[in-house]
Amino acid sequence: MGGGLFCGAVMLAAGFLDQLLFDSSLTVYGALFLPVCLLTALWVRPGDLVVAPVAVPIAFAAGLLTMTDGGEGLGGRLVGLVTALATQAGWLYSGTLIAGVIATVRRVRVIRRRAAQRRRTTT
């Protein structure tokens, strides 16, 4: 929960700041997304490591909502979001891959540490 909230809040803030400072530059937003993915995967609790690769794409889309240009109304906003997601898929996949790899490596280390600890206590 904490990792998802962190990532979502930071990406929403990044979306608003990008809109204000860089006139909704999707490249800047994508470049800001990568370190957020890294930090999310590093800071999430060991019990919640599965959350990191799931939360980062949701946070990417949530922050992107603040920047999308579409027509008026909900339909226009959704069309703008889908278009932005399609054109920025490289950033989205890269960030998700970063979070997934780091979370997987951390999870393997936790499992190995627990197994070693069990072996020490049983012998």
Side-chain angles (χ1 to χ4, degrees):
M1 181 81 147
L5 284 174
F6 164 76
C7 189
V10 171
M11 290 315 298
L12 276 172
F16 282 121
L17 285 174
D18 185 14
Q19 183 182 23
L20 290 173
L21 300 175
F22 300 105
D23 198 30
S24 297
S25 170
L26 294 175
T27 303
V28 171
Y29 180 76
L32 292 173
F33 177 64
L34 297 181
V36 171
C37 292
L38 177 80
L39 291 175
T40 300
L42 289 174
W43 286 347
V44 72
R45 298 180 311 171
D48 295 333
L49 284 169
V50 178
V51 171
V54 174
V56 293
I58 295 169
F60 185 83
L64 208 53
L65 271 172
T66 63
M67 302 174 18
T68 56
D69 289 333
E72 292 184 23
L74 180 63
R77 181 70 73 167
L78 287 175
V79 167
L81 176 64
V82 170
T83 302
L85 284 171
T87 60
Q88 301 305 310
W91 293 111
L92 179 60
Y93 294 154
S94 299
T96 305
L97 181 66
I98 288 169
V101 167
I102 291 172
T104 301
V105 168
R106 286 188 59 204
R107 181 69 180 153
V108 168
R109 291 180 66 197
V110 166
I111 290 171
R112 285 184 180 167
R113 192 176 314 129
R114 286 181 185 163
Q117 187 178 24
R118 268 189 244 122
R119 280 193 303 266
R120 275 187 261 133
T121 58
T122 58
T123 54

PDB file of all heavy atoms in Angstrom, residues 15-40:
ATOM      1  N   GLY A  15       3.115  15.058 -12.812  1.00  0.00           N
ATOM      2  CA  GLY A  15       2.233  15.458 -13.909  1.00  0.00           C
ATOM      3  C   GLY A  15       1.816  16.917 -13.804  1.00  0.00           C
ATOM      4  O   GLY A  15       1.844  17.662 -14.799  1.00  0.00           O
ATOM      5  N   PHE A  16       1.433  17.337 -12.599  1.00  0.00           N
ATOM      6  CA  PHE A  16       1.054  18.743 -12.406  1.00  0.00           C
ATOM      7  C   PHE A  16       2.237  19.679 -12.638  1.00  0.00           C
ATOM      8  O   PHE A  16       2.104  20.716 -13.300  1.00  0.00           O
ATOM      9  CB  PHE A  16       0.483  18.961 -11.003  1.00  0.00           C
ATOM     10  CG  PHE A  16      -0.938  18.507 -10.859  1.00  0.00           C
ATOM     11  CD1 PHE A  16      -1.262  17.547  -9.914  1.00  0.00           C
ATOM     12  CD2 PHE A  16      -1.949  19.026 -11.654  1.00  0.00           C
ATOM     13  CE1 PHE A  16      -2.572  17.117  -9.763  1.00  0.00           C
ATOM     14  CE2 PHE A  16      -3.261  18.606 -11.513  1.00  0.00           C
ATOM     15  CZ  PHE A  16      -3.577  17.654 -10.562  1.00  0.00           C
ATOM     16  N   LEU A  17       3.407  19.312 -12.092  1.00  0.00           N
ATOM     17  CA  LEU A  17       4.589  20.158 -12.286  1.00  0.00           C
ATOM     18  C   LEU A  17       5.016  20.220 -13.742  1.00  0.00           C
ATOM     19  O   LEU A  17       5.413  21.277 -14.241  1.00  0.00           O
ATOM     20  CB  LEU A  17       5.742  19.652 -11.419  1.00  0.00           C
ATOM     21  CG  LEU A  17       5.626  19.949  -9.933  1.00  0.00           C
ATOM     22  CD1 LEU A  17       6.761  19.264  -9.167  1.00  0.00           C
ATOM     23  CD2 LEU A  17       5.638  21.435  -9.682  1.00  0.00           C
ATOM     24  N   ASP A  18       4.938  19.096 -14.428  1.00  0.00           N
ATOM     25  CA  ASP A  18       5.298  19.065 -15.841  1.00  0.00           C
ATOM     26  C   ASP A  18       4.345  19.941 -16.644  1.00  0.00           C
ATOM     27  O   ASP A  18       4.759  20.660 -17.551  1.00  0.00           O
ATOM     28  CB  ASP A  18       5.274  17.625 -16.348  1.00  0.00           C
ATOM     29  CG  ASP A  18       5.762  17.499 -17.766  1.00  0.00           C
ATOM     30  OD1 ASP A  18       6.368  18.442 -18.290  1.00  0.00           O
ATOM     31  OD2 ASP A  18       5.528  16.430 -18.367  1.00  0.00           O
ATOM     32  N   GLN A  19       3.088  19.899 -16.292  1.00  0.00           N
ATOM     33  CA  GLN A  19       2.102  20.732 -16.976  1.00  0.00           C
ATOM     34  C   GLN A  19       2.391  22.211 -16.751  1.00  0.00           C
ATOM     35  O   GLN A  19       2.314  23.012 -17.682  1.00  0.00           O
ATOM     36  CB  GLN A  19       0.709  20.378 -16.486  1.00  0.00           C
ATOM     37  CG  GLN A  19      -0.396  21.125 -17.180  1.00  0.00           C
ATOM     38  CD  GLN A  19      -1.757  20.766 -16.609  1.00  0.00           C
ATOM     39  OE1 GLN A  19      -1.874  20.312 -15.475  1.00  0.00           O
ATOM     40  NE2 GLN A  19      -2.783  20.966 -17.409  1.00  0.00           N
ATOM     41  N   LEU A  20       2.758  22.567 -15.525  1.00  0.00           N
ATOM     42  CA  LEU A  20       3.023  23.970 -15.213  1.00  0.00           C
ATOM     43  C   LEU A  20       4.351  24.471 -15.772  1.00  0.00           C
ATOM     44  O   LEU A  20       4.427  25.568 -16.321  1.00  0.00           O
ATOM     45  CB  LEU A  20       3.019  24.179 -13.701  1.00  0.00           C
ATOM     46  CG  LEU A  20       1.670  24.064 -13.003  1.00  0.00           C
ATOM     47  CD1 LEU A  20       1.855  24.117 -11.495  1.00  0.00           C
ATOM     48  CD2 LEU A  20       0.738  25.163 -13.478  1.00  0.00           C
ATOM     49  N   LEU A  21       5.400  23.671 -15.622  1.00  0.00           N
ATOM     50  CA  LEU A  21       6.742  24.137 -15.968  1.00  0.00           C
ATOM     51  C   LEU A  21       7.156  23.845 -17.404  1.00  0.00           C
ATOM     52  O   LEU A  21       7.903  24.619 -18.004  1.00  0.00           O
ATOM     53  CB  LEU A  21       7.767  23.525 -15.016  1.00  0.00           C
ATOM     54  CG  LEU A  21       7.586  23.836 -13.524  1.00  0.00           C
ATOM     55  CD1 LEU A  21       8.608  23.072 -12.702  1.00  0.00           C
ATOM     56  CD2 LEU A  21       7.704  25.326 -13.287  1.00  0.00           C
ATOM     57  N   PHE A  22       6.719  22.724 -17.939  1.00  0.00           N
ATOM     58  CA  PHE A  22       7.202  22.301 -19.253  1.00  0.00           C
ATOM     59  C   PHE A  22       6.092  22.165 -20.289  1.00  0.00           C
ATOM     60  O   PHE A  22       6.277  21.522 -21.317  1.00  0.00           O
ATOM     61  CB  PHE A  22       7.955  20.970 -19.135  1.00  0.00           C
ATOM     62  CG  PHE A  22       9.147  21.042 -18.227  1.00  0.00           C
ATOM     63  CD1 PHE A  22       9.099  20.491 -16.962  1.00  0.00           C
ATOM     64  CD2 PHE A  22      10.301  21.678 -18.639  1.00  0.00           C
ATOM     65  CE1 PHE A  22      10.192  20.553 -16.114  1.00  0.00           C
ATOM     66  CE2 PHE A  22      11.401  21.748 -17.803  1.00  0.00           C
ATOM     67  CZ  PHE A  22      11.343  21.192 -16.533  1.00  0.00           C
ATOM     68  N   ASP A  23       4.937  22.716 -19.996  1.00  0.00           N
ATOM     69  CA  ASP A  23       3.811  22.714 -20.930  1.00  0.00           C
ATOM     70  C   ASP A  23       3.434  21.298 -21.366  1.00  0.00           C
ATOM     71  O   ASP A  23       3.294  21.006 -22.546  1.00  0.00           O
ATOM     72  CB  ASP A  23       4.125  23.589 -22.135  1.00  0.00           C
ATOM     73  CG  ASP A  23       2.871  23.976 -22.906  1.00  0.00           C
ATOM     74  OD1 ASP A  23       1.798  24.084 -22.277  1.00  0.00           O
ATOM     75  OD2 ASP A  23       2.969  24.155 -24.135  1.00  0.00           O
ATOM     76  N   SER A  24       3.337  20.402 -20.398  1.00  0.00           N
ATOM     77  CA  SER A  24       2.908  19.010 -20.608  1.00  0.00           C
ATOM     78  C   SER A  24       3.826  18.238 -21.549  1.00  0.00           C
ATOM     79  O   SER A  24       3.383  17.542 -22.464  1.00  0.00           O
ATOM     80  CB  SER A  24       1.469  18.951 -21.117  1.00  0.00           C
ATOM     81  OG  SER A  24       0.590  19.481 -20.166  1.00  0.00           O
ATOM     82  N   SER A  25       5.114  18.317 -21.318  1.00  0.00           N
ATOM     83  CA  SER A  25       6.070  17.566 -22.118  1.00  0.00           C
ATOM     84  C   SER A  25       6.057  16.104 -21.684  1.00  0.00           C
ATOM     85  O   SER A  25       6.416  15.767 -20.556  1.00  0.00           O
ATOM     86  CB  SER A  25       7.480  18.137 -21.934  1.00  0.00           C
ATOM     87  OG  SER A  25       8.429  17.273 -22.512  1.00  0.00           O
ATOM     88  N   LEU A  26       5.647  15.237 -22.581  1.00  0.00           N
ATOM     89  CA  LEU A  26       5.565  13.822 -22.252  1.00  0.00           C
ATOM     90  C   LEU A  26       6.945  13.194 -22.097  1.00  0.00           C
ATOM     91  O   LEU A  26       7.111  12.226 -21.360  1.00  0.00           O
ATOM     92  CB  LEU A  26       4.740  13.081 -23.305  1.00  0.00           C
ATOM     93  CG  LEU A  26       3.256  13.482 -23.348  1.00  0.00           C
ATOM     94  CD1 LEU A  26       2.552  12.795 -24.498  1.00  0.00           C
ATOM     95  CD2 LEU A  26       2.571  13.181 -22.038  1.00  0.00           C
ATOM     96  N   THR A  27       7.932  13.746 -22.764  1.00  0.00           N
ATOM     97  CA  THR A  27       9.292  13.247 -22.616  1.00  0.00           C
ATOM     98  C   THR A  27       9.831  13.539 -21.219  1.00  0.00           C
ATOM     99  O   THR A  27      10.445  12.671 -20.589  1.00  0.00           O
ATOM    100  CB  THR A  27      10.214  13.866 -23.676  1.00  0.00           C
ATOM    101  OG1 THR A  27       9.674  13.585 -24.968  1.00  0.00           O
ATOM    102  CG2 THR A  27      11.618  13.323 -23.580  1.00  0.00           C
ATOM    103  N   VAL A  28       9.592  14.724 -20.723  1.00  0.00           N
ATOM    104  CA  VAL A  28      10.011  15.068 -19.362  1.00  0.00           C
ATOM    105  C   VAL A  28       9.284  14.186 -18.359  1.00  0.00           C
ATOM    106  O   VAL A  28       9.889  13.672 -17.411  1.00  0.00           O
ATOM    107  CB  VAL A  28       9.760  16.573 -19.069  1.00  0.00           C
ATOM    108  CG1 VAL A  28       9.974  16.887 -17.603  1.00  0.00           C
ATOM    109  CG2 VAL A  28      10.644  17.432 -19.944  1.00  0.00           C
ATOM    110  N   TYR A  29       7.992  14.000 -18.564  1.00  0.00           N
ATOM    111  CA  TYR A  29       7.199  13.158 -17.672  1.00  0.00           C
ATOM    112  C   TYR A  29       7.735  11.722 -17.662  1.00  0.00           C
ATOM    113  O   TYR A  29       7.888  11.119 -16.606  1.00  0.00           O
ATOM    114  CB  TYR A  29       5.731  13.177 -18.097  1.00  0.00           C
ATOM    115  CG  TYR A  29       4.843  12.334 -17.235  1.00  0.00           C
ATOM    116  CD1 TYR A  29       4.462  12.764 -15.968  1.00  0.00           C
ATOM    117  CD2 TYR A  29       4.381  11.102 -17.668  1.00  0.00           C
ATOM    118  CE1 TYR A  29       3.651  11.991 -15.159  1.00  0.00           C
ATOM    119  CE2 TYR A  29       3.567  10.325 -16.877  1.00  0.00           C
ATOM    120  CZ  TYR A  29       3.195  10.775 -15.623  1.00  0.00           C
ATOM    121  OH  TYR A  29       2.394  10.005 -14.831  1.00  0.00           O
ATOM    122  N   GLY A  30       8.044  11.193 -18.821  1.00  0.00           N
ATOM    123  CA  GLY A  30       8.595   9.838 -18.904  1.00  0.00           C
ATOM    124  C   GLY A  30       9.952   9.729 -18.239  1.00  0.00           C
ATOM    125  O   GLY A  30      10.242   8.745 -17.554  1.00  0.00           O
ATOM    126  N   ALA A  31      10.776  10.756 -18.423  1.00  0.00           N
ATOM    127  CA  ALA A  31      12.096  10.745 -17.786  1.00  0.00           C
ATOM    128  C   ALA A  31      11.970  10.837 -16.264  1.00  0.00           C
ATOM    129  O   ALA A  31      12.781  10.261 -15.539  1.00  0.00           O
ATOM    130  CB  ALA A  31      12.944  11.892 -18.324  1.00  0.00           C
ATOM    131  N   LEU A  32      10.975  11.539 -15.765  1.00  0.00           N
ATOM    132  CA  LEU A  32      10.738  11.592 -14.318  1.00  0.00           C
ATOM    133  C   LEU A  32      10.181  10.278 -13.790  1.00  0.00           C
ATOM    134  O   LEU A  32      10.363   9.937 -12.626  1.00  0.00           O
ATOM    135  CB  LEU A  32       9.770  12.729 -13.984  1.00  0.00           C
ATOM    136  CG  LEU A  32      10.283  14.143 -14.188  1.00  0.00           C
ATOM    137  CD1 LEU A  32       9.168  15.149 -13.995  1.00  0.00           C
ATOM    138  CD2 LEU A  32      11.432  14.429 -13.241  1.00  0.00           C
ATOM    139  N   PHE A  33       9.507   9.542 -14.637  1.00  0.00           N
ATOM    140  CA  PHE A  33       8.889   8.279 -14.239  1.00  0.00           C
ATOM    141  C   PHE A  33       9.922   7.207 -13.891  1.00  0.00           C
ATOM    142  O   PHE A  33       9.729   6.437 -12.947  1.00  0.00           O
ATOM    143  CB  PHE A  33       7.975   7.792 -15.375  1.00  0.00           C
ATOM    144  CG  PHE A  33       7.325   6.471 -15.140  1.00  0.00           C
ATOM    145  CD1 PHE A  33       6.419   6.297 -14.101  1.00  0.00           C
ATOM    146  CD2 PHE A  33       7.594   5.393 -15.969  1.00  0.00           C
ATOM    147  CE1 PHE A  33       5.804   5.079 -13.892  1.00  0.00           C
ATOM    148  CE2 PHE A  33       6.985   4.176 -15.774  1.00  0.00           C
ATOM    149  CZ  PHE A  33       6.085   4.013 -14.733  1.00  0.00           C
ATOM    150  N   LEU A  34      11.019   7.172 -14.605  1.00  0.00           N
ATOM    151  CA  LEU A  34      12.015   6.113 -14.393  1.00  0.00           C
ATOM    152  C   LEU A  34      12.629   6.134 -12.994  1.00  0.00           C
ATOM    153  O   LEU A  34      12.681   5.091 -12.329  1.00  0.00           O
ATOM    154  CB  LEU A  34      13.086   6.174 -15.480  1.00  0.00           C
ATOM    155  CG  LEU A  34      12.588   5.932 -16.900  1.00  0.00           C
ATOM    156  CD1 LEU A  34      13.754   6.004 -17.885  1.00  0.00           C
ATOM    157  CD2 LEU A  34      11.843   4.630 -17.033  1.00  0.00           C
ATOM    158  N   PRO A  35      13.093   7.278 -12.479  1.00  0.00           N
ATOM    159  CA  PRO A  35      13.618   7.261 -11.108  1.00  0.00           C
ATOM    160  C   PRO A  35      12.539   6.977 -10.059  1.00  0.00           C
ATOM    161  O   PRO A  35      12.825   6.376  -9.024  1.00  0.00           O
ATOM    162  CB  PRO A  35      14.233   8.635 -10.901  1.00  0.00           C
ATOM    163  CG  PRO A  35      13.902   9.438 -12.076  1.00  0.00           C
ATOM    164  CD  PRO A  35      13.340   8.555 -13.123  1.00  0.00           C
ATOM    165  N   VAL A  36      11.308   7.367 -10.342  1.00  0.00           N
ATOM    166  CA  VAL A  36      10.225   7.055  -9.405  1.00  0.00           C
ATOM    167  C   VAL A  36      10.012   5.539  -9.340  1.00  0.00           C
ATOM    168  O   VAL A  36       9.791   4.979  -8.262  1.00  0.00           O
ATOM    169  CB  VAL A  36       8.924   7.792  -9.795  1.00  0.00           C
ATOM    170  CG1 VAL A  36       7.741   7.315  -8.975  1.00  0.00           C
ATOM    171  CG2 VAL A  36       9.105   9.290  -9.641  1.00  0.00           C
ATOM    172  N   CYS A  37      10.114   4.873 -10.475  1.00  0.00           N
ATOM    173  CA  CYS A  37      10.002   3.408 -10.496  1.00  0.00           C
ATOM    174  C   CYS A  37      11.129   2.766  -9.703  1.00  0.00           C
ATOM    175  O   CYS A  37      10.907   1.830  -8.930  1.00  0.00           O
ATOM    176  CB  CYS A  37      10.035   2.893 -11.937  1.00  0.00           C
ATOM    177  SG  CYS A  37       8.606   3.346 -12.889  1.00  0.00           S
ATOM    178  N   LEU A  38      12.321   3.264  -9.892  1.00  0.00           N
ATOM    179  CA  LEU A  38      13.479   2.758  -9.165  1.00  0.00           C
ATOM    180  C   LEU A  38      13.285   2.927  -7.663  1.00  0.00           C
ATOM    181  O   LEU A  38      13.465   1.975  -6.891  1.00  0.00           O
ATOM    182  CB  LEU A  38      14.739   3.491  -9.634  1.00  0.00           C
ATOM    183  CG  LEU A  38      16.023   3.137  -8.921  1.00  0.00           C
ATOM    184  CD1 LEU A  38      16.575   1.839  -9.478  1.00  0.00           C
ATOM    185  CD2 LEU A  38      17.030   4.248  -9.089  1.00  0.00           C
ATOM    186  N   LEU A  39      12.909   4.110  -7.234  1.00  0.00           N
ATOM    187  CA  LEU A  39      12.717   4.369  -5.810  1.00  0.00           C
ATOM    188  C   LEU A  39      11.567   3.552  -5.231  1.00  0.00           C
ATOM    189  O   LEU A  39      11.650   3.062  -4.106  1.00  0.00           O
ATOM    190  CB  LEU A  39      12.480   5.859  -5.575  1.00  0.00           C
ATOM    191  CG  LEU A  39      13.676   6.759  -5.809  1.00  0.00           C
ATOM    192  CD1 LEU A  39      13.279   8.217  -5.672  1.00  0.00           C
ATOM    193  CD2 LEU A  39      14.799   6.407  -4.861  1.00  0.00           C
ATOM    194  N   THR A  40      10.507   3.403  -5.991  1.00  0.00           N
ATOM    195  CA  THR A  40       9.374   2.605  -5.509  1.00  0.00           C
ATOM    196  C   THR A  40       9.798   1.169  -5.270  1.00  0.00           C
ATOM    197  O   THR A  40       9.480   0.586  -4.231  1.00  0.00           O
ATOM    198  CB  THR A  40       8.212   2.651  -6.520  1.00  0.00           C
ATOM    199  OG1 THR A  40       7.793   4.009  -6.691  1.00  0.00           O
ATOM    200  CG2 THR A  40       7.040   1.818  -6.050  1.00  0.00           C
TER     201      THR A  40
END
